[in-house]
Amino acid sequence: MKKSGITSKPFVFLALLGTLLGGYYLGGLQHGSVDEHAGHGHETTDAAKVQYTCGMHPFIIQDEPGICPICNMKLTPMKQGTGGDGNKTAAGERKIKYWQAPMDPTYIRDEPGKSPMGMDLVPVYEEDVSGGGGIEIDPVTTQNMGVRTEIVARRDLSRTVRTLGLVTYDEPRQYSVNSKIEGWVEKLYVNEEGQQVSKGQPLMEIYSPELVAAQHEYLLAVQNSKQLSQSPFGEIAESSKRLLDASRTRLKYWDISDKQISALEQSGEVRKNLTLYSSYHGIVTMKKVVEGMRVMAGEELLQISDLSRVWVNADIYEFELPWVKVGQTAQVELPFTSDKVLEGRISYIYPYLQSETRTVKARIEFQNPGHQLKPDMYANIRIATGAVQGALAIPDNAVLNSGKGQTVFVSLGEGRFEPRSVKTGVSDESGYIQILSGLAEGDEVVVSAQFMLDSESKLQEAIQKMIAPKSPPASKQAPPANTPALDDLFDEKPVKKQESLEDLFK
């Protein structure tokens, strides 16, 4: 018995040892299989699938290259983490903000469904929606769009205004010749337009019955004054002298010179015709009278202009007005003498606009010896304006003008852009415009493709307004403390029993 017990113990030991070795072997195989599967999963995660999107319509996402079904632009690869398998990213869950029609971005719903065109709505995630009107664009898309930027800096702005001008008369040197009496033109000494006239030169002879009668009256007044001058009655002598003075004044009012009156007094003969003399020096620019013509009192007969000094009126457009000031130097070049340049100064800027040309006249005065500058002649004008020193400026093509104001897009880096309202000043001839407010020195503004940025910004802003929650209605004002509630007014309360007469007298 003792021997058999000893013999069975080695078999039991070998059985236990085999069981342990088999379990260890099976466990190693399972562990290796798990590690292998884990390794394959890691490789799958590292080799994340690249997705493609449209730079103009970021809600278009495809798993392979192609073209956008909306604008036919080539799709660009997305950054790692911007695509995804549904609603997950490396950071975790992506929250869907709303669902949008792929062909109509303004068609928005809170849940999946179909668009009016029968297409499936696509999700738009919260991180893909920029707030405040700003936008974010992939760098590859930004490069494909041709977006260029420039730093806001200070510079000197200057402009040379080039415009056309018209030679005209010096208005204070224009004169009108007319007759102060009614009569007939017997003789015309100046009978041509453009004829040179000197001061004191005879212009015409006029026959007037009134003038003949006035000469007779003057001669009688002279004779009467001589006869009564020695009268012992002083009042009579004084009265005759006043009559003589009145007759002389009447002839002067009809443009009879003192020389002619003296000749009439000495000769004692009445002249049939009155000679009109020029009181001005210049050129006859208008003639309305001919020999034998009857003229009325006050009728204009000639116009005489002094061309020794002329004006040149330059047309200044509205956007150039801030540059032009009184006293600036202007150079005038005549079309037929391009080698000769006349130099003058701006003496006056008219305070109103010409409705036909939408320009303002700037007057430049010139001496005109030899009558080289002729009225109604065109001239090329250059005005050297003063420079604006140290102005904050950007390229003028960076500014988007609308009916409400002016906007620029500021680059915030990493593909982010922000629209910003600005106020502008003058613009120079180099293509730069002054910034009065809205930007600071060192800001980076977009100078090309900003129209596409503006469209995208306005689209996102409109979508945000469409999905914005409605504001709760204003809370009603609480009633005063002593005011009973509406329900209390209709509560059923026990009616107090009326007391009897007996109860009252108890």
Side-chain angles (χ1 to χ4, degrees):
M1 293 295 295
K2 203 181 277 189
K3 183 177 180 181
S4 62
I6 295 173
T7 307
S8 63
K9 289 182 178 180
F11 288 102
V12 175
F13 177 76
L14 290 175
L16 292 174
L17 182 61
T19 302
L20 292 174
L21 291 174
Y24 179 78
Y25 178 75
L26 291 175
L29 290 177
Q30 292 177 358
H31 185 269
S33 176
V34 170
D35 291 343
E36 183 178 0
H37 286 295
H40 285 301
H42 181 69
E43 292 175 3
T44 304
T45 303
D46 292 341
K49 192 172 183 180
V50 178
Q51 291 184 319
Y52 298 83
T53 184
C54 175
M56 294 299 297
H57 305 90
F59 51 83
I60 300 297
I61 301 175
Q62 294 185 5
D63 295 334
E64 57 186 11
I67 61 175
C68 175
I70 299 177
C71 60
N72 291 330
M73 291 180 60
K74 185 178 180 181
L75 300 181
T76 57
M78 300 177 61
K79 296 187 296 184
Q80 293 292 333
T82 58
D85 49 352
N87 297 343
K88 292 188 178 182
T89 62
E93 291 286 340
R94 299 180 68 192
K95 187 175 180 181
I96 297 177
K97 191 170 182 65
Y98 53 84
W99 296 79
Q100 185 181 64
M103 298 298 290
D104 184 7
T106 61
Y107 185 82
I108 298 172
R109 291 294 180 268
D110 295 332
E111 57 186 13
K114 296 286 187 178
S115 70
M117 301 179 64
M119 302 177 66
D120 292 332
L121 300 181
V122 296
V124 177
Y125 301 98
E126 286 189 347
E127 59 267 27
D128 296 334
V129 180
S130 300
I135 58 176
E136 184 175 354
I137 301 179
D138 186 271
V140 177
T141 305
T142 302
Q143 184 177 3
N144 292 338
M145 290 170 59
V147 176
R148 294 185 294 107
T149 60
E150 187 166 327
I151 301 298
V152 180
R154 295 192 176 275
R155 61 176 62 243
D156 296 339
L157 303 181
S158 62
R159 173 184 286 271
T160 299
V161 176
R162 294 176 173 85
T163 183
L164 290 177
L166 190 67
V167 181
T168 185
Y169 301 98
D170 188 343
E171 292 180 4
R173 296 171 181 261
Q174 287 184 291
Y175 313 104
S176 174
V177 177
N178 54 71
S179 173
K180 293 182 174 61
I181 58 174
E182 182 182 354
W184 287 261
V185 178
E186 296 284 342
K187 178 69 175 179
L188 196 61
Y189 296 104
V190 177
N191 203 16
E192 298 177 5
E193 288 188 358
Q195 186 174 345
Q196 180 75 38
V197 175
S198 301
K199 186 176 182 179
Q201 177 179 340
L203 299 176
M204 65 190 73
E205 292 184 359
I206 298 178
Y207 163 69
S208 173
E210 292 179 304
L211 181 58
V212 173
Q215 293 180 73
H216 279 292
E217 291 178 3
Y218 179 73
L219 292 177
L220 290 174
V222 171
Q223 184 178 0
N224 189 35
S225 177
K226 289 181 179 179
Q227 293 176 354
L228 298 177
S229 62
Q230 304 298 327
S231 174
F233 302 99
E235 294 181 359
I236 296 177
E238 186 66 25
S239 177
S240 62
K241 184 179 180 181
R242 287 198 303 268
L243 182 60
L244 177 62
D245 293 339
S247 300
R248 180 187 294 270
T249 303
R250 185 180 183 187
L251 291 176
K252 285 186 176 182
Y253 285 165
W254 283 343
D255 290 341
I256 305 298
S257 64
D258 293 335
K259 184 178 180 181
Q260 290 174 305
I261 295 175
S262 299
L264 174 63
E265 185 177 347
Q266 293 175 5
S267 64
E269 295 181 0
V270 176
R271 297 189 58 183
K272 177 184 175 183
N273 297 333
L274 166 68
T275 303
L276 292 182
Y277 295 90
S278 174
S279 302
Y280 318 104
H281 174 84
I283 303 294
V284 178
T285 56
M286 186 180 68
K287 185 179 79 71
K288 297 182 178 180
V289 62
V290 294
E291 286 189 2
M293 175 180 172
R294 181 186 179 185
V295 296
M296 304 300 293
E299 183 178 356
E300 186 178 41
L301 306 177
L302 300 172
Q303 279 189 4
I304 299 176
S305 300
D306 186 1
L307 299 182
S308 61
R309 186 177 181 87
V310 295
W311 292 351
V312 177
N313 289 330
D315 290 326
I316 308 299
Y317 290 98
E318 295 178 66
F319 72 93
E320 295 175 327
L321 278 177
W323 292 99
V324 181
K325 308 292 181 184
V326 174
Q328 291 176 342
T329 302
Q331 294 180 340
V332 175
E333 180 180 316
L334 301 178
F336 60 90
T337 57
S338 57
D339 56 336
K340 185 176 182 180
V341 177
L342 304 177
E343 192 169 287
R345 291 188 178 275
I346 298 176
S347 61
Y348 186 70
I349 298 176
Y350 288 80
Y352 53 84
L353 206 67
Q354 300 291 324
S355 59
E356 298 85 2
T357 58
R358 307 301 303 171
T359 58
V360 173
K361 300 291 185 183
R363 181 199 303 165
I364 310 167
E365 299 181 4
F366 289 95
Q367 296 293 338
N368 192 26
H371 299 167
Q372 185 177 11
L373 295 174
K374 297 173 174 55
D376 296 330
M377 179 183 289
Y378 285 105
N380 298 320
I381 300 175
R382 294 195 306 271
I383 302 174
T385 62
V388 179
Q389 304 290 336
L392 197 67
I394 61 174
D396 54 7
N397 57 357
V399 181
L400 297 175
N401 294 286
S402 66
K404 295 182 179 180
Q406 297 170 310
T407 306
V408 299
F409 274 86
V410 179
S411 175
L412 305 178
E414 299 181 357
R416 294 180 295 118
F417 302 93
E418 177 191 31
R420 192 175 298 176
S421 298
V422 296
K423 185 178 180 181
T424 60
V426 297
S427 58
D428 69 352
E429 56 190 357
S430 301
Y432 284 86
I433 189 169
Q434 182 184 14
I435 298 297
L436 301 178
S437 64
L439 293 175
E441 189 174 359
D443 287 344
E444 190 174 358
V445 297
V446 178
V447 297
S448 66
Q450 63 268 41
F451 289 100
M452 290 187 284
L453 299 179
D454 183 56
S455 300
E456 183 68 18
S457 174
K458 294 295 176 57
L459 176 61
Q460 292 191 9
E461 182 180 358
I463 293 175
Q464 289 299 311
K465 290 181 179 179
M466 293 172 63
I467 65 176
K470 296 182 179 179
S471 58
S475 59
K476 298 182 180 179
Q477 186 176 2
N482 57 354
T483 303
L486 187 62
D487 295 337
D488 296 340
L489 296 177
F490 296 94
D491 285 346
E492 295 183 1
K493 295 183 179 180
V495 181
K496 187 177 181 180
K497 185 178 179 180
Q498 185 177 3
E499 297 178 342
S500 62
L501 292 176
E502 292 82 5
D503 296 335
L504 292 175
F505 291 97
K506 282 182 179 180

